[in-house]
Amino acid sequence: SVKGDLVTAREQWRDLWALSSYLESIPYVAGVKAALAILGHPVGPTRAPVQPLSAAQRAGLVAVLEPFAPVAA
């Protein structure tokens, strides 16, 4: 956002806050890896003992990623 454009900055932060909040509500590393894969940048699976996201967690992640880029479920 342009310096001093508080309205646009708040709009951008709203989506970032939703993503950050969601990532903190699920296993963080699994969430970041899943988010990267959803956005087309796979970085590989989680290592034990961290488990991949459940289907419900992944669906929630897809929903919060929608403002950032077209996502593939």
Side-chain angles (χ1 to χ4, degrees):
S1 156
V2 176
K3 185 176 181 178
D5 185 355
L6 189 57
V7 172
T8 301
R10 283 184 176 148
E11 290 172 3
Q12 292 171 344
W13 182 244
R14 180 190 63 235
D15 295 333
L16 289 170
W17 181 263
L19 175 58
S20 178
S21 180
Y22 191 76
L23 285 173
E24 292 173 12
S25 74
I26 59 176
Y28 188 80
V29 171
V32 169
K33 285 178 170 272
L36 289 168
I38 290 165
L39 294 173
H41 303 284
V43 293
T46 57
R47 292 187 289 175
V50 178
Q51 297 296 309
L53 298 182
S54 69
Q57 290 169 326
R58 184 176 172 85
L61 185 57
V62 167
V64 298
L65 286 172
E66 286 181 17
F68 298 99
V71 296

